[in-house]
Amino acid sequence: MNALSEQILSELRHLLSEMSDGGSVGPSVYDTARALQFHGNVTGRQDAYAWLIAQQQADGGWGSADFPLFRHAPTWAALLALQRADPLLGAADAVQTATRFLERQPDPYSHVVPEDAPIGAELILPQLCGEAASLLGGVEFPRHPALLPLRQACLVKLRAVATLPSGHPLLHSWEAWGTSPTTACPDDDGSIGISPAATAAWRAHAVTQGSTTQVGRADAYLQAASRATRSGIEGVVPNVWPINVFEPCWSLYTLHLAGLFAHPALAEAVRVIVAQLDARLGVRGLGPALHFAADADDTAVALCVLRLAGREPAVDALRHFEIGELFVTFPGERNASVSTNIHALHALRLLGKPAAGTSAYVEANRNPHGLWDNEKWHVSWLYPTAHAVAALAQGKPQWRDERALAALLQAQRDDGGWGAGRASTFEETAYALFALHVMDGSEEPTGRRRIAQAVARALEWMLARHAAHALPQTPLWIGKELYCPTRVVRVAELAGLWLALRWGRRVLAEGAGAAP
């Protein structure tokens, strides 16, 4: 066990030291399909098309059947890309089965827009639907009527603006509304809105309209984004890149949740990242990437990390996103994020600032079981629950919540893991352990024994599935579709396993119910 703990620390140290390359993000069906469609040269991207076909599920759609709300964008996009690649082996069959899939699917946007709808759904889905209707007339596809007025309202606002500033949030979905390359300009990384799909669309329009001065930078960006997937296939791209603020911020925050933030073995790697964050945090806050708009979520987590490292960051950067007693992730967003407000609450408490309103909002957004599942950036309820428990307990050593604890323990699967879908995942099991770690500190002996038993079962499940330097494969984070920020997730997996190992050693040494 000691050898495994050392191996985990070594891998964590290696992951943290790599976080200067823009970030690691798993491949995206949606963005790859859009990039292939805009690229146009089928023969030059055969491997990427083959990858796209291989991702199709048995029912004809793309994306996890566990989370149907997030299957429309990748399926529409893959259908449209493959419809133009008919000579390729398997393309015609994939189009036929995808068409049947879409004909059978209920329309989640027939009357209302779900709270956890994918990013840019109001712009992207109607546009994809319209393209498909013109290419495949007569097919009874979902039409997403509830999104149409939202798209129209957004387009009216966009027509009133000649050029959006670099890094504006709406540039992330430029492929769904942009037609003139003059409405956007590549940022310092060569991207349009840190989006491969948007950048590929902009590049295609720029070439067609003769505005080629920035095309080389867009090409370089798309190549770098493709490398970030670690797929080894040219043209396979991620959902978002770079994530050179989000990745280190969330990784260090996760270390804190596992009790690893100040571990001597990670001290130097943590120090380097903290220094970078400290230098980058300005009065307007931080976004997921250096050249993207600031938001409350990244700003709040950065403030948490800096305070945990002993710095004294100013809370003013977070106040820009405060409306009443609520924090908006981005100004003008469709609906508020529970996890953004959880992170704002944690930052405010760490900084010793009043947070009664934010705390009340977080408490009010539980489900009937006492957990948090109304989240727009992550599909699993275990993610906001772990973070909410940490935020609510911050500075309150006697904080207890029997209802949440009972629900969390009851949600453990027979195999010992946790998961919001049909199977347990390493990432979600780690989040459960982070929450239990906080709860254990103020529990009575009986409660601690219940927790220890759950942790022992989780540890057995994790040990049976752990492999050194494995790449996470399950996309649970919400973008235009579900995606996987690879290093962020791997840090969570390793931190969860390290915590369970340490917990198990203490239980053996001190008797059932000992805490890490």
Side-chain angles (χ1 to χ4, degrees):
M1 289 296 185
N2 283 332
L4 180 54
S5 291
E6 289 303 314
Q7 184 269 316
I8 290 169
L9 291 169
S10 174
E11 187 174 338
L12 282 170
R13 191 164 53 243
H14 177 71
L15 287 166
L16 297 175
S17 70
E18 288 185 315
M19 292 183 184
S20 57
D21 62 358
S24 180
V25 188
S28 160
V29 167
Y30 170 81
D31 282 74
T32 297
R34 296 303 273 165
L36 288 173
Q37 185 179 348
F38 291 121
H39 186 263
N41 181 3
V42 174
T43 57
R45 288 284 192 269
Q46 290 191 36
D47 288 347
Y49 277 103
W51 177 87
L52 188 63
I53 293 169
Q55 306 312 305
Q56 189 173 29
Q57 302 296 316
D59 62 6
W62 277 261
S64 171
D66 288 352
F67 307 107
L69 183 62
F70 305 96
R71 303 189 75 188
H72 289 83
T75 300
W76 284 121
L79 171 66
L80 290 167
L82 293 171
Q83 195 271 339
R84 303 182 184 199
D86 193 58
L88 291 181
L89 181 65
D93 288 342
V95 167
Q96 286 183 354
T97 54
T99 302
R100 288 196 294 270
F101 169 82
L102 285 167
E103 286 179 306
R104 294 192 303 267
Q105 286 303 294
D107 190 347
Y109 306 98
S110 56
H111 302 292
V112 296
V113 180
E115 286 287 303
D116 55 346
I119 288 176
E122 67 274 20
L123 287 167
I124 292 167
L125 292 180
Q127 193 244 8
L128 291 174
C129 180
E131 281 189 52
S134 64
L135 288 170
L136 305 165
V139 178
E140 288 298 320
F141 288 134
R143 300 296 181 180
H144 312 316
L147 293 173
L148 297 177
L150 296 178
R151 175 178 167 84
Q152 191 56 39
C154 193
L155 291 178
V156 168
K157 291 179 182 177
L158 285 166
R159 290 190 195 108
V161 180
T163 304
L164 286 176
S166 179
H168 191 283
L170 283 173
L171 292 177
H172 189 65
S173 302
W174 193 91
E175 77 278 8
W177 60 268
T179 55
S180 170
T182 60
T183 60
C185 183
D187 61 28
D188 288 354
D189 291 312
S191 88
I192 301 296
I194 62 174
S195 164
T199 306
W202 182 91
R203 180 200 178 280
H205 284 292
V207 170
T208 301
Q209 298 179 30
S211 306
T212 57
T213 54
Q214 304 268 21
V215 165
R217 294 178 59 239
D219 285 335
Y221 163 79
L222 290 168
Q223 291 165 7
S226 182
R227 288 193 297 271
T229 68
R230 303 193 188 187
S231 66
I233 303 171
E234 186 177 6
V236 172
V237 293
N239 186 253
V240 57
W241 193 85
I243 53 170
N244 45 17
V245 174
F246 164 72
E247 182 182 82
C249 270
W250 260 252
S251 295
L252 294 198
Y253 187 75
T254 295
L255 294 184
H256 167 66
L257 298 180
L260 273 166
F261 189 90
H263 196 288
L266 306 176
E268 179 56 23
V270 169
R271 185 195 66 77
V272 170
I273 292 174
V274 166
Q276 290 173 341
L277 289 174
D278 199 17
R280 291 169 174 176
L281 180 65
V283 294
R284 303 301 301 179
L286 283 169
L290 286 178
H291 304 302
F292 198 71
D295 66 84
D297 209 16
D298 288 275
T299 300
V301 175
L303 290 174
C304 288
V305 167
L306 291 172
R307 186 69 193 96
L308 290 166
R311 308 294 172 100
E312 296 284 351
V315 75
D316 298 354
L318 185 59
R319 297 293 185 196
H320 292 298
F321 305 96
E322 192 173 18
I323 298 178
E325 295 180 328
L326 186 71
F327 288 88
V328 296
T329 310
F330 291 100
E333 67 183 348
R334 187 176 64 244
N335 57 317
S337 160
V338 175
S339 68
T340 293
N341 282 276
I342 288 168
H343 297 144
L345 172 62
H346 205 168
L348 291 171
R349 287 194 170 176
L350 280 165
L351 293 167
K353 303 298 181 183
T358 312
S359 178
Y361 176 84
V362 170
E363 289 278 13
N365 273 276
R366 299 176 185 240
N367 65 19
H369 305 291
L371 304 171
W372 289 262
D373 60 3
N374 179 20
E375 176 47 34
K376 66 187 285 185
W377 302 118
H378 200 288
V379 79
S380 174
W381 59 269
L382 288 143
Y383 168 80
T385 294
H387 290 196
V389 167
L392 290 169
Q394 177 62 45
K396 298 181 180 294
Q398 301 308 311
W399 181 87
R400 291 182 74 245
D401 194 306
E402 179 59 34
R403 189 166 57 124
L405 174 59
L408 192 58
L409 292 175
Q410 188 176 0
Q412 188 174 26
R413 296 178 180 272
D414 292 341
D415 62 12
W418 278 265
R422 281 175 284 189
S424 303
T425 71
F426 220 115
E427 178 185 357
E428 292 169 283
T429 300
Y431 294 144
L433 293 175
F434 299 154
L436 292 174
H437 174 41
V438 173
M439 292 173 160
D440 185 81
S442 55
E443 275 299 310
E444 300 296 324
T446 301
R448 298 180 79 194
R449 279 193 291 271
R450 290 162 61 206
I451 293 172
Q453 290 165 1
V455 173
R457 292 174 56 214
L459 176 59
E460 185 178 356
W461 182 88
M462 295 171 104
L463 288 173
R465 289 155 182 81
H466 170 69
H469 302 286
L471 282 179
Q473 300 293 329
T474 307
L476 296 171
W477 294 72
I478 299 173
K480 296 171 184 176
E481 64 182 339
L482 296 184
Y483 74 101
C484 180
T486 317
R487 284 194 197 116
V488 171
V489 173
R490 184 59 176 169
V491 167
E493 293 178 349
L494 292 170
L497 178 56
W498 182 89
L499 179 61
L501 282 168
R502 187 166 178 240
W503 207 317
R505 285 200 302 271
R506 288 289 184 87
V507 168
L508 288 173
E510 301 172 13

